[in-house]
Amino acid sequence: MNPETRIYLSPPHMSGEEMEYIKEAFATNWIAPLGPNVDAFEAELAEYVGAKGAVAVSSGTAAIHLALRLLGVGSGDEVFCSTLTFIGSVNPVLYLGAVPVFIDSEPASWNMSPAALKKAFAAAEKKGKLPKALIVVNLYGQSADMDPILSLCNEYGVPVVEDAAESLGATYKGKMSGTLGRFGVYSFNGNKIITTSGGGMLVSDDLEAIEKARFWATQARDKAPWYQHSEMGYNYRMSNVLAGIGRGQLKVIEDRIKARREIFRRYEEAFRGVEGVGFMPEAPYGRCNRWLTVMTIDKNRLGVTPLDVIRVLESENIEARPVWKPMHLQPLFAACQYFSHAEGASVSDLLFATGICLPSGSSLTEQEQQRVIECIKRCF
Ligand SMILES: *Cc1c(COP(=O)(O)O)cnc(C)c1O
């Protein structure tokens, strides 16, 4: 155990199988965008999650952008969004000239609060302007409580995009996270549970919509012998080399989930009985992939804040991060509406103030994790 070795939050973890697909891409000179790895990666991911169709793109953010455009989101529209998330969930709303309205978390899953959502819909109805779409985030690898959220959205006729960037392989009542809304989005950014170094996927059972997304993502090139364009498009497709990495990664997704869940279990066990320490609960309706283990610490009991602990960990060459800063607290969104879980009690504000994301990569060894645990215990 070398204390000089840096422990990262969630570094890439290759399976070894990736090189075979990359070699094949080189051997056949399928380096340029698209090709057999892209087609196969789309088919394999769609099969794994149980979606009818998938389109591989350059990022999860791009996939959300395409999903919102498919739903007709445009200038001046409102889009309901989870507040406790990464900015990539929400930037596409701005790309389309629309306005986000932020919804708080609930304590049981840390995801979108059905109670807050109900208030937001009631206010929208009163105002006479319903949202064009809703983006629900599945935070840190756990599905939101989709049934009450979908039932409210159905009641108001509002389509749902599931931001499953962090929750590939998580389940909700037996279904794969990302397949419960009209569209689902996964990310293969470098820190996610599997990675293509950078990339994303849009899935849906609506094959016509998937074809349209594919068209827009390829510069919206019309079927013609020359370069002809009738619509605005994007250069959003995934390269055939990167899709090869994705195919190798997808083969081991279940192992990766097992490893991350085991890492969570060891953290939980190490701090069991320590007053003032908590963890993101696993809601009874499904399996969390435990992308990141998130701990909460009560400053009054333990005498330290998450930032204090992060600073001490950093001094020992260990990377840790605060919980996402909620979108309704971001300067960028200062003018946006926000609906909290309960009157005068914002769950996401509390999680931001008390939460800390711990090193959770599937390649983390038991010795390395012990180093993290001992360092945190010394802080208390
Ligand atoms: C990572 C992430 C995204 C963005 O994915 P990229 O592939 O980095 O564009 C969106 N939403 C959430 C919740 C994420 O964690």
Side-chain angles (χ1 to χ4, degrees), residues 8-14 60-61 86-87 140-141 165-168 186-199 249 256 260 289-293 319 321-322 324 357-363:
Y8 290 97
L9 190 72
S10 181
H13 184 189
M14 294 297 107
T61 307
F86 174 61
I87 188 78
Y140 298 123
E166 303 174 3
S167 63
L168 180 64
Y186 302 103
S187 166
F188 312 112
N189 186 38
N191 62 356
K192 297 301 191 324
I193 194 155
I194 63 169
T195 182
T196 58
S197 80
Q249 289 272 282
R256 299 299 185 252
R260 293 205 188 229
N289 74 16
R290 291 293 179 191
W291 170 55
L292 295 183
T293 290
E319 184 185 28
R321 297 267 176 88
W324 300 125
C357 302
L358 302 178
S360 308
S362 44
S363 54

mmCIF file of all heavy atoms in Angstrom, residues 8-14 60-61 86-87 140-141 165-168 186-199 249 256 260 289-293 319 321-322 324 357-363:
data_model
loop_
_atom_site.group_PDB
_atom_site.id
_atom_site.type_symbol
_atom_site.label_atom_id
_atom_site.label_comp_id
_atom_site.label_asym_id
_atom_site.label_seq_id
_atom_site.Cartn_x
_atom_site.Cartn_y
_atom_site.Cartn_z
ATOM 1 N N TYR A 8 -8.731 7.601 -7.036
ATOM 2 C CA TYR A 8 -9.693 8.440 -7.744
ATOM 3 C C TYR A 8 -11.130 8.082 -7.353
ATOM 4 O O TYR A 8 -11.408 6.979 -6.883
ATOM 5 C CB TYR A 8 -9.521 8.289 -9.259
ATOM 6 C CG TYR A 8 -8.242 8.909 -9.767
ATOM 7 C CD1 TYR A 8 -7.103 8.133 -9.972
ATOM 8 C CD2 TYR A 8 -8.176 10.273 -10.029
ATOM 9 C CE1 TYR A 8 -5.920 8.700 -10.426
ATOM 10 C CE2 TYR A 8 -6.995 10.852 -10.482
ATOM 11 C CZ TYR A 8 -5.879 10.061 -10.680
ATOM 12 O OH TYR A 8 -4.714 10.630 -11.123
ATOM 13 N N LEU A 9 -12.013 9.038 -7.629
ATOM 14 C CA LEU A 9 -13.425 8.855 -7.296
ATOM 15 C C LEU A 9 -14.039 7.693 -8.077
ATOM 16 O O LEU A 9 -14.694 6.824 -7.492
ATOM 17 C CB LEU A 9 -14.184 10.150 -7.620
ATOM 18 C CG LEU A 9 -15.611 10.249 -7.131
ATOM 19 C CD1 LEU A 9 -15.647 10.423 -5.622
ATOM 20 C CD2 LEU A 9 -16.319 11.424 -7.802
ATOM 21 N N SER A 10 -13.827 7.698 -9.386
ATOM 22 C CA SER A 10 -14.472 6.695 -10.231
ATOM 23 C C SER A 10 -13.733 6.591 -11.571
ATOM 24 O O SER A 10 -14.217 7.078 -12.589
ATOM 25 C CB SER A 10 -15.943 7.096 -10.460
ATOM 26 O OG SER A 10 -16.597 6.142 -11.257
ATOM 27 N N PRO A 11 -12.535 6.008 -11.542
ATOM 28 C CA PRO A 11 -11.721 5.996 -12.764
ATOM 29 C C PRO A 11 -12.202 4.921 -13.754
ATOM 30 O O PRO A 11 -12.900 3.991 -13.352
ATOM 31 C CB PRO A 11 -10.323 5.648 -12.242
ATOM 32 C CG PRO A 11 -10.565 4.836 -11.018
ATOM 33 C CD PRO A 11 -11.862 5.336 -10.428
ATOM 34 N N PRO A 12 -11.830 5.063 -15.038
ATOM 35 C CA PRO A 12 -12.174 4.027 -16.021
ATOM 36 C C PRO A 12 -11.626 2.666 -15.585
ATOM 37 O O PRO A 12 -10.564 2.593 -14.960
ATOM 38 C CB PRO A 12 -11.473 4.499 -17.296
ATOM 39 C CG PRO A 12 -11.268 5.964 -17.103
ATOM 40 C CD PRO A 12 -11.074 6.160 -15.631
ATOM 41 N N HIS A 13 -12.362 1.603 -15.889
ATOM 42 C CA HIS A 13 -11.956 0.246 -15.516
ATOM 43 C C HIS A 13 -12.183 -0.655 -16.728
ATOM 44 O O HIS A 13 -13.297 -1.113 -16.971
ATOM 45 C CB HIS A 13 -12.790 -0.207 -14.306
ATOM 46 C CG HIS A 13 -12.398 -1.556 -13.773
ATOM 47 N ND1 HIS A 13 -13.130 -2.217 -12.816
ATOM 48 C CD2 HIS A 13 -11.356 -2.366 -14.071
ATOM 49 C CE1 HIS A 13 -12.553 -3.379 -12.544
ATOM 50 N NE2 HIS A 13 -11.483 -3.491 -13.303
ATOM 51 N N MET A 14 -11.101 -0.885 -17.470
ATOM 52 C CA MET A 14 -11.219 -1.678 -18.691
ATOM 53 C C MET A 14 -11.309 -3.171 -18.367
ATOM 54 O O MET A 14 -10.770 -3.630 -17.353
ATOM 55 C CB MET A 14 -10.022 -1.410 -19.606
ATOM 56 C CG MET A 14 -9.964 0.011 -20.147
ATOM 57 S SD MET A 14 -11.368 0.464 -21.212
ATOM 58 C CE MET A 14 -12.285 1.577 -20.150
ATOM 59 N N GLY A 60 -23.886 11.834 -23.273
ATOM 60 C CA GLY A 60 -25.207 11.754 -22.669
ATOM 61 C C GLY A 60 -25.965 13.069 -22.849
ATOM 62 O O GLY A 60 -27.179 13.077 -23.076
ATOM 63 N N THR A 61 -25.237 14.165 -22.776
ATOM 64 C CA THR A 61 -25.851 15.481 -22.952
ATOM 65 C C THR A 61 -26.472 15.604 -24.346
ATOM 66 O O THR A 61 -27.590 16.108 -24.504
ATOM 67 C CB THR A 61 -24.780 16.582 -22.742
ATOM 68 O OG1 THR A 61 -24.138 16.359 -21.490
ATOM 69 C CG2 THR A 61 -25.390 17.965 -22.748
ATOM 70 N N PHE A 86 -26.339 16.720 -12.227
ATOM 71 C CA PHE A 86 -25.224 17.320 -12.951
ATOM 72 C C PHE A 86 -25.799 18.228 -14.052
ATOM 73 O O PHE A 86 -26.841 17.920 -14.627
ATOM 74 C CB PHE A 86 -24.372 16.189 -13.542
ATOM 75 C CG PHE A 86 -23.255 16.639 -14.433
ATOM 76 C CD1 PHE A 86 -22.248 17.456 -13.943
ATOM 77 C CD2 PHE A 86 -23.214 16.234 -15.752
ATOM 78 C CE1 PHE A 86 -21.216 17.868 -14.779
ATOM 79 C CE2 PHE A 86 -22.171 16.634 -16.583
ATOM 80 C CZ PHE A 86 -21.183 17.450 -16.097
ATOM 81 N N ILE A 87 -25.103 19.293 -14.340
ATOM 82 C CA ILE A 87 -25.578 20.311 -15.298
ATOM 83 C C ILE A 87 -25.911 19.735 -16.683
ATOM 84 O O ILE A 87 -26.756 20.277 -17.395
ATOM 85 C CB ILE A 87 -24.511 21.437 -15.416
ATOM 86 C CG1 ILE A 87 -25.015 22.631 -16.243
ATOM 87 C CG2 ILE A 87 -23.210 20.915 -16.015
ATOM 88 C CD1 ILE A 87 -25.923 23.546 -15.516
ATOM 89 N N TYR A 140 -26.944 8.856 -8.737
ATOM 90 C CA TYR A 140 -25.913 8.000 -8.145
ATOM 91 C C TYR A 140 -26.209 6.518 -8.339
ATOM 92 O O TYR A 140 -25.819 5.681 -7.525
ATOM 93 C CB TYR A 140 -25.709 8.348 -6.657
ATOM 94 C CG TYR A 140 -25.230 9.771 -6.455
ATOM 95 C CD1 TYR A 140 -25.933 10.670 -5.657
ATOM 96 C CD2 TYR A 140 -24.077 10.219 -7.093
ATOM 97 C CE1 TYR A 140 -25.495 11.984 -5.502
ATOM 98 C CE2 TYR A 140 -23.640 11.527 -6.948
ATOM 99 C CZ TYR A 140 -24.338 12.402 -6.152
ATOM 100 O OH TYR A 140 -23.904 13.705 -6.008
ATOM 101 N N GLY A 141 -26.951 6.207 -9.417
ATOM 102 C CA GLY A 141 -27.187 4.799 -9.745
ATOM 103 C C GLY A 141 -28.475 4.226 -9.209
ATOM 104 O O GLY A 141 -28.660 3.010 -9.258
ATOM 105 N N ALA A 165 -28.071 8.484 -16.981
ATOM 106 C CA ALA A 165 -26.622 8.599 -17.220
ATOM 107 C C ALA A 165 -25.813 7.868 -16.150
ATOM 108 O O ALA A 165 -24.761 7.299 -16.438
ATOM 109 C CB ALA A 165 -26.221 10.072 -17.247
ATOM 110 N N GLU A 166 -26.341 7.872 -14.917
ATOM 111 C CA GLU A 166 -25.606 7.272 -13.799
ATOM 112 C C GLU A 166 -26.147 5.899 -13.419
ATOM 113 O O GLU A 166 -25.610 5.259 -12.518
ATOM 114 C CB GLU A 166 -25.705 8.208 -12.570
ATOM 115 C CG GLU A 166 -25.183 9.613 -12.864
ATOM 116 C CD GLU A 166 -25.393 10.602 -11.711
ATOM 117 O OE1 GLU A 166 -25.905 10.202 -10.647
ATOM 118 O OE2 GLU A 166 -25.037 11.783 -11.896
ATOM 119 N N SER A 167 -27.228 5.458 -14.058
ATOM 120 C CA SER A 167 -27.963 4.309 -13.505
ATOM 121 C C SER A 167 -28.076 3.122 -14.450
ATOM 122 O O SER A 167 -28.997 2.311 -14.316
ATOM 123 C CB SER A 167 -29.359 4.752 -13.058
ATOM 124 O OG SER A 167 -30.102 5.202 -14.168
ATOM 125 N N LEU A 168 -27.138 2.988 -15.393
ATOM 126 C CA LEU A 168 -27.173 1.814 -16.264
ATOM 127 C C LEU A 168 -27.120 0.540 -15.415
ATOM 128 O O LEU A 168 -26.235 0.394 -14.569
ATOM 129 C CB LEU A 168 -25.989 1.846 -17.244
ATOM 130 C CG LEU A 168 -25.905 0.670 -18.225
ATOM 131 C CD1 LEU A 168 -27.094 0.643 -19.174
ATOM 132 C CD2 LEU A 168 -24.603 0.702 -19.015
ATOM 133 N N TYR A 186 -28.307 7.243 -21.520
ATOM 134 C CA TYR A 186 -27.156 6.730 -20.768
ATOM 135 C C TYR A 186 -25.923 7.537 -21.152
ATOM 136 O O TYR A 186 -25.849 8.078 -22.249
ATOM 137 C CB TYR A 186 -26.928 5.243 -21.072
ATOM 138 C CG TYR A 186 -28.133 4.388 -20.767
ATOM 139 C CD1 TYR A 186 -28.958 3.932 -21.794
ATOM 140 C CD2 TYR A 186 -28.464 4.063 -19.454
ATOM 141 C CE1 TYR A 186 -30.085 3.164 -21.516
ATOM 142 C CE2 TYR A 186 -29.588 3.307 -19.161
ATOM 143 C CZ TYR A 186 -30.394 2.852 -20.205
ATOM 144 O OH TYR A 186 -31.514 2.108 -19.923
ATOM 145 N N SER A 187 -24.959 7.580 -20.238
ATOM 146 C CA SER A 187 -23.690 8.264 -20.513
ATOM 147 C C SER A 187 -22.537 7.275 -20.344
ATOM 148 O O SER A 187 -22.558 6.434 -19.448
ATOM 149 C CB SER A 187 -23.488 9.431 -19.544
ATOM 150 O OG SER A 187 -22.146 9.886 -19.596
ATOM 151 N N PHE A 188 -21.556 7.403 -21.227
ATOM 152 C CA PHE A 188 -20.332 6.605 -21.119
ATOM 153 C C PHE A 188 -19.128 7.522 -20.941
ATOM 154 O O PHE A 188 -18.045 7.275 -21.467
ATOM 155 C CB PHE A 188 -20.171 5.700 -22.349
ATOM 156 C CG PHE A 188 -21.426 4.948 -22.694
ATOM 157 C CD1 PHE A 188 -22.129 5.230 -23.855
ATOM 158 C CD2 PHE A 188 -21.929 3.993 -21.825
ATOM 159 C CE1 PHE A 188 -23.306 4.568 -24.156
ATOM 160 C CE2 PHE A 188 -23.106 3.324 -22.113
ATOM 161 C CZ PHE A 188 -23.799 3.608 -23.292
ATOM 162 N N ASN A 189 -19.356 8.607 -20.212
ATOM 163 C CA ASN A 189 -18.279 9.518 -19.842
ATOM 164 C C ASN A 189 -17.260 8.757 -18.984
ATOM 165 O O ASN A 189 -17.584 7.721 -18.408
ATOM 166 C CB ASN A 189 -18.894 10.704 -19.074
ATOM 167 C CG ASN A 189 -17.871 11.774 -18.767
ATOM 168 O OD1 ASN A 189 -16.999 12.058 -19.586
ATOM 169 N ND2 ASN A 189 -17.961 12.355 -17.584
ATOM 170 N N GLY A 190 -16.056 9.287 -18.893
ATOM 171 C CA GLY A 190 -14.955 8.575 -18.253
ATOM 172 C C GLY A 190 -15.195 8.128 -16.825
ATOM 173 O O GLY A 190 -14.592 7.157 -16.365
ATOM 174 N N ASN A 191 -16.088 8.802 -16.087
ATOM 175 C CA ASN A 191 -16.279 8.457 -14.675
ATOM 176 C C ASN A 191 -17.518 7.579 -14.443
ATOM 177 O O ASN A 191 -17.810 7.219 -13.311
ATOM 178 C CB ASN A 191 -16.388 9.736 -13.835
ATOM 179 C CG ASN A 191 -17.578 10.596 -14.225
ATOM 180 O OD1 ASN A 191 -18.298 10.282 -15.171
ATOM 181 N ND2 ASN A 191 -17.793 11.674 -13.517
ATOM 182 N N LYS A 192 -18.236 7.224 -15.491
ATOM 183 C CA LYS A 192 -19.475 6.464 -15.310
ATOM 184 C C LYS A 192 -19.184 4.973 -15.098
ATOM 185 O O LYS A 192 -18.038 4.536 -15.189
ATOM 186 C CB LYS A 192 -20.407 6.695 -16.503
ATOM 187 C CG LYS A 192 -20.860 8.159 -16.660
ATOM 188 C CD LYS A 192 -21.590 8.636 -15.438
ATOM 189 C CE LYS A 192 -22.315 9.960 -15.507
ATOM 190 N NZ LYS A 192 -21.819 11.098 -16.240
ATOM 191 N N ILE A 193 -20.227 4.181 -14.855
ATOM 192 C CA ILE A 193 -20.024 2.781 -14.456
ATOM 193 C C ILE A 193 -19.378 1.968 -15.579
ATOM 194 O O ILE A 193 -18.571 1.088 -15.312
ATOM 195 C CB ILE A 193 -21.328 2.147 -13.926
ATOM 196 C CG1 ILE A 193 -21.045 0.833 -13.203
ATOM 197 C CG2 ILE A 193 -22.368 1.971 -15.019
ATOM 198 C CD1 ILE A 193 -22.099 0.443 -12.175
ATOM 199 N N ILE A 194 -19.721 2.286 -16.830
ATOM 200 C CA ILE A 194 -18.894 1.832 -17.956
ATOM 201 C C ILE A 194 -18.628 3.042 -18.835
ATOM 202 O O ILE A 194 -19.405 3.995 -18.844
ATOM 203 C CB ILE A 194 -19.532 0.680 -18.790
ATOM 204 C CG1 ILE A 194 -20.827 1.112 -19.448
ATOM 205 C CG2 ILE A 194 -19.703 -0.586 -17.950
ATOM 206 C CD1 ILE A 194 -21.351 0.102 -20.479
ATOM 207 N N THR A 195 -17.521 3.007 -19.565
ATOM 208 C CA THR A 195 -17.131 4.202 -20.319
ATOM 209 C C THR A 195 -16.643 3.854 -21.718
ATOM 210 O O THR A 195 -16.117 2.763 -21.948
ATOM 211 C CB THR A 195 -16.045 4.999 -19.566
ATOM 212 O OG1 THR A 195 -15.741 6.172 -20.318
ATOM 213 C CG2 THR A 195 -14.770 4.190 -19.383
ATOM 214 N N THR A 196 -16.830 4.804 -22.636
ATOM 215 C CA THR A 196 -16.207 4.720 -23.953
ATOM 216 C C THR A 196 -15.190 5.861 -24.091
ATOM 217 O O THR A 196 -14.853 6.258 -25.195
ATOM 218 C CB THR A 196 -17.265 4.867 -25.067
ATOM 219 O OG1 THR A 196 -17.938 6.125 -24.896
ATOM 220 C CG2 THR A 196 -18.288 3.753 -25.030
ATOM 221 N N SER A 197 -14.745 6.384 -22.973
ATOM 222 C CA SER A 197 -13.943 7.611 -22.813
ATOM 223 C C SER A 197 -14.851 8.825 -22.912
ATOM 224 O O SER A 197 -14.684 9.788 -22.183
ATOM 225 C CB SER A 197 -12.741 7.705 -23.759
ATOM 226 O OG SER A 197 -13.114 8.123 -25.041
ATOM 227 N N GLY A 198 -15.797 8.795 -23.788
ATOM 228 C CA GLY A 198 -16.834 9.815 -23.877
ATOM 229 C C GLY A 198 -17.892 9.279 -24.816
ATOM 230 O O GLY A 198 -17.553 8.716 -25.861
ATOM 231 N N GLY A 199 -19.154 9.411 -24.444
ATOM 232 C CA GLY A 199 -20.206 8.909 -25.317
ATOM 233 C C GLY A 199 -21.529 8.837 -24.592
ATOM 234 O O GLY A 199 -21.602 9.065 -23.381
ATOM 235 N N GLN A 249 -16.857 -3.052 -22.674
ATOM 236 C CA GLN A 249 -17.299 -2.645 -21.337
ATOM 237 C C GLN A 249 -18.647 -3.267 -20.973
ATOM 238 O O GLN A 249 -18.865 -3.686 -19.836
ATOM 239 C CB GLN A 249 -17.409 -1.106 -21.285
ATOM 240 C CG GLN A 249 -16.070 -0.396 -21.302
ATOM 241 C CD GLN A 249 -15.536 -0.234 -19.893
ATOM 242 O OE1 GLN A 249 -15.948 0.630 -19.144
ATOM 243 N NE2 GLN A 249 -14.608 -1.091 -19.516
ATOM 244 N N ARG A 256 -19.307 -5.139 -12.832
ATOM 245 C CA ARG A 256 -19.030 -3.789 -12.332
ATOM 246 C C ARG A 256 -20.050 -3.386 -11.268
ATOM 247 O O ARG A 256 -19.721 -2.728 -10.281
ATOM 248 C CB ARG A 256 -19.043 -2.771 -13.488
ATOM 249 C CG ARG A 256 -17.983 -3.035 -14.563
ATOM 250 C CD ARG A 256 -16.590 -2.962 -13.965
ATOM 251 N NE ARG A 256 -15.544 -3.081 -14.967
ATOM 252 C CZ ARG A 256 -14.767 -4.152 -15.133
ATOM 253 N NH1 ARG A 256 -14.916 -5.209 -14.354
ATOM 254 N NH2 ARG A 256 -13.833 -4.164 -16.060
ATOM 255 N N ARG A 260 -19.262 -2.494 -7.342
ATOM 256 C CA ARG A 260 -19.628 -1.202 -6.729
ATOM 257 C C ARG A 260 -20.570 -1.416 -5.543
ATOM 258 O O ARG A 260 -20.501 -0.697 -4.552
ATOM 259 C CB ARG A 260 -20.234 -0.264 -7.761
ATOM 260 C CG ARG A 260 -19.194 0.160 -8.804
ATOM 261 C CD ARG A 260 -19.537 1.478 -9.454
ATOM 262 N NE ARG A 260 -18.627 1.735 -10.569
ATOM 263 C CZ ARG A 260 -17.967 2.873 -10.767
ATOM 264 N NH1 ARG A 260 -18.116 3.881 -9.939
ATOM 265 N NH2 ARG A 260 -17.168 3.030 -11.799
ATOM 266 N N ASN A 289 -27.295 0.569 -8.715
ATOM 267 C CA ASN A 289 -25.991 0.070 -9.189
ATOM 268 C C ASN A 289 -24.842 0.609 -8.339
ATOM 269 O O ASN A 289 -23.695 0.227 -8.551
ATOM 270 C CB ASN A 289 -25.789 0.343 -10.690
ATOM 271 C CG ASN A 289 -25.499 1.810 -11.014
ATOM 272 O OD1 ASN A 289 -25.163 2.613 -10.155
ATOM 273 N ND2 ASN A 289 -25.602 2.166 -12.285
ATOM 274 N N ARG A 290 -25.173 1.502 -7.372
ATOM 275 C CA ARG A 290 -24.178 2.099 -6.466
ATOM 276 C C ARG A 290 -22.999 2.671 -7.236
ATOM 277 O O ARG A 290 -21.844 2.494 -6.850
ATOM 278 C CB ARG A 290 -23.695 1.065 -5.427
ATOM 279 C CG ARG A 290 -24.760 0.691 -4.409
ATOM 280 C CD ARG A 290 -25.134 1.806 -3.489
ATOM 281 N NE ARG A 290 -26.183 1.421 -2.523
ATOM 282 C CZ ARG A 290 -26.824 2.306 -1.755
ATOM 283 N NH1 ARG A 290 -26.539 3.599 -1.818
ATOM 284 N NH2 ARG A 290 -27.751 1.902 -0.914
ATOM 285 N N TRP A 291 -23.346 3.427 -8.314
ATOM 286 C CA TRP A 291 -22.302 4.086 -9.107
ATOM 287 C C TRP A 291 -21.315 4.816 -8.185
ATOM 288 O O TRP A 291 -20.110 4.619 -8.279
ATOM 289 C CB TRP A 291 -22.924 5.060 -10.116
ATOM 290 C CG TRP A 291 -21.914 5.923 -10.792
ATOM 291 C CD1 TRP A 291 -20.810 5.503 -11.479
ATOM 292 C CD2 TRP A 291 -21.899 7.348 -10.839
ATOM 293 N NE1 TRP A 291 -20.109 6.595 -11.952
ATOM 294 C CE2 TRP A 291 -20.758 7.733 -11.570
ATOM 295 C CE3 TRP A 291 -22.743 8.358 -10.341
ATOM 296 C CZ2 TRP A 291 -20.430 9.075 -11.820
ATOM 297 C CZ3 TRP A 291 -22.420 9.678 -10.592
ATOM 298 C CH2 TRP A 291 -21.270 10.026 -11.323
ATOM 299 N N LEU A 292 -21.865 5.644 -7.307
ATOM 300 C CA LEU A 292 -21.032 6.246 -6.263
ATOM 301 C C LEU A 292 -21.648 5.950 -4.901
ATOM 302 O O LEU A 292 -22.866 5.992 -4.742
ATOM 303 C CB LEU A 292 -20.931 7.766 -6.433
ATOM 304 C CG LEU A 292 -20.227 8.294 -7.688
ATOM 305 C CD1 LEU A 292 -20.165 9.834 -7.657
ATOM 306 C CD2 LEU A 292 -18.816 7.739 -7.833
ATOM 307 N N THR A 293 -20.788 5.667 -3.934
ATOM 308 C CA THR A 293 -21.244 5.605 -2.547
ATOM 309 C C THR A 293 -21.285 7.033 -2.019
ATOM 310 O O THR A 293 -20.280 7.751 -2.105
ATOM 311 C CB THR A 293 -20.280 4.762 -1.687
ATOM 312 O OG1 THR A 293 -20.394 3.392 -2.064
ATOM 313 C CG2 THR A 293 -20.622 4.906 -0.196
ATOM 314 N N GLU A 319 -9.288 11.270 -3.817
ATOM 315 C CA GLU A 319 -10.274 12.171 -4.425
ATOM 316 C C GLU A 319 -11.670 11.886 -3.887
ATOM 317 O O GLU A 319 -12.128 10.751 -3.930
ATOM 318 C CB GLU A 319 -10.269 11.989 -5.953
ATOM 319 C CG GLU A 319 -11.194 12.950 -6.666
ATOM 320 C CD GLU A 319 -11.291 12.694 -8.178
ATOM 321 O OE1 GLU A 319 -11.114 11.544 -8.613
ATOM 322 O OE2 GLU A 319 -11.568 13.660 -8.907
ATOM 323 N N ARG A 321 -15.752 14.107 -3.526
ATOM 324 C CA ARG A 321 -16.461 15.286 -4.036
ATOM 325 C C ARG A 321 -17.721 15.541 -3.222
ATOM 326 O O ARG A 321 -18.304 14.600 -2.695
ATOM 327 C CB ARG A 321 -16.915 15.044 -5.489
ATOM 328 C CG ARG A 321 -15.803 14.840 -6.495
ATOM 329 C CD ARG A 321 -15.403 16.158 -7.154
ATOM 330 N NE ARG A 321 -14.274 15.960 -8.058
ATOM 331 C CZ ARG A 321 -14.393 15.622 -9.340
ATOM 332 N NH1 ARG A 321 -15.592 15.447 -9.860
ATOM 333 N NH2 ARG A 321 -13.329 15.471 -10.090
ATOM 334 N N PRO A 322 -18.138 16.810 -3.182
ATOM 335 C CA PRO A 322 -19.449 17.078 -2.570
ATOM 336 C C PRO A 322 -20.543 16.496 -3.460
ATOM 337 O O PRO A 322 -20.316 16.226 -4.642
ATOM 338 C CB PRO A 322 -19.547 18.609 -2.570
ATOM 339 C CG PRO A 322 -18.222 19.130 -3.017
ATOM 340 C CD PRO A 322 -17.502 18.025 -3.702
ATOM 341 N N TRP A 324 -23.766 16.744 -5.854
ATOM 342 C CA TRP A 324 -24.073 17.772 -6.868
ATOM 343 C C TRP A 324 -24.676 19.011 -6.207
ATOM 344 O O TRP A 324 -25.597 18.883 -5.388
ATOM 345 C CB TRP A 324 -25.093 17.258 -7.887
ATOM 346 C CG TRP A 324 -24.721 16.048 -8.681
ATOM 347 C CD1 TRP A 324 -25.449 14.897 -8.778
ATOM 348 C CD2 TRP A 324 -23.574 15.864 -9.527
ATOM 349 N NE1 TRP A 324 -24.824 14.010 -9.621
ATOM 350 C CE2 TRP A 324 -23.667 14.569 -10.093
ATOM 351 C CE3 TRP A 324 -22.472 16.649 -9.875
ATOM 352 C CZ2 TRP A 324 -22.709 14.050 -10.969
ATOM 353 C CZ3 TRP A 324 -21.518 16.131 -10.741
ATOM 354 C CH2 TRP A 324 -21.648 14.855 -11.272
ATOM 355 N N CYS A 357 -19.308 12.319 -1.809
ATOM 356 C CA CYS A 357 -19.158 11.160 -2.706
ATOM 357 C C CYS A 357 -17.786 10.548 -2.480
ATOM 358 O O CYS A 357 -16.766 11.244 -2.598
ATOM 359 C CB CYS A 357 -19.289 11.593 -4.157
ATOM 360 S SG CYS A 357 -20.854 12.390 -4.541
ATOM 361 N N LEU A 358 -17.773 9.264 -2.156
ATOM 362 C CA LEU A 358 -16.521 8.583 -1.808
ATOM 363 C C LEU A 358 -15.986 7.784 -2.996
ATOM 364 O O LEU A 358 -16.747 7.378 -3.871
ATOM 365 C CB LEU A 358 -16.778 7.634 -0.633
ATOM 366 C CG LEU A 358 -17.325 8.292 0.633
ATOM 367 C CD1 LEU A 358 -17.585 7.234 1.711
ATOM 368 C CD2 LEU A 358 -16.352 9.350 1.154
ATOM 369 N N PRO A 359 -14.665 7.537 -2.989
ATOM 370 C CA PRO A 359 -14.088 6.729 -4.066
ATOM 371 C C PRO A 359 -14.865 5.419 -4.208
ATOM 372 O O PRO A 359 -15.032 4.693 -3.219
ATOM 373 C CB PRO A 359 -12.648 6.479 -3.593
ATOM 374 C CG PRO A 359 -12.332 7.677 -2.753
ATOM 375 C CD PRO A 359 -13.629 8.005 -2.048
ATOM 376 N N SER A 360 -15.349 5.131 -5.409
ATOM 377 C CA SER A 360 -16.268 4.009 -5.609
ATOM 378 C C SER A 360 -15.969 3.216 -6.874
ATOM 379 O O SER A 360 -16.782 2.408 -7.298
ATOM 380 C CB SER A 360 -17.714 4.537 -5.713
ATOM 381 O OG SER A 360 -18.034 5.366 -4.618
ATOM 382 N N GLY A 361 -14.833 3.473 -7.508
ATOM 383 C CA GLY A 361 -14.524 2.794 -8.768
ATOM 384 C C GLY A 361 -14.485 1.283 -8.583
ATOM 385 O O GLY A 361 -14.051 0.796 -7.535
ATOM 386 N N SER A 362 -14.924 0.551 -9.606
ATOM 387 C CA SER A 362 -14.991 -0.905 -9.488
ATOM 388 C C SER A 362 -13.609 -1.535 -9.377
ATOM 389 O O SER A 362 -13.475 -2.689 -8.986
ATOM 390 C CB SER A 362 -15.778 -1.493 -10.665
ATOM 391 O OG SER A 362 -15.395 -0.891 -11.882
ATOM 392 N N SER A 363 -12.553 -0.771 -9.694
ATOM 393 C CA SER A 363 -11.194 -1.322 -9.572
ATOM 394 C C SER A 363 -10.554 -1.001 -8.209
ATOM 395 O O SER A 363 -9.425 -1.397 -7.948
ATOM 396 C CB SER A 363 -10.308 -0.768 -10.690
ATOM 397 O OG SER A 363 -10.349 0.648 -10.688
#
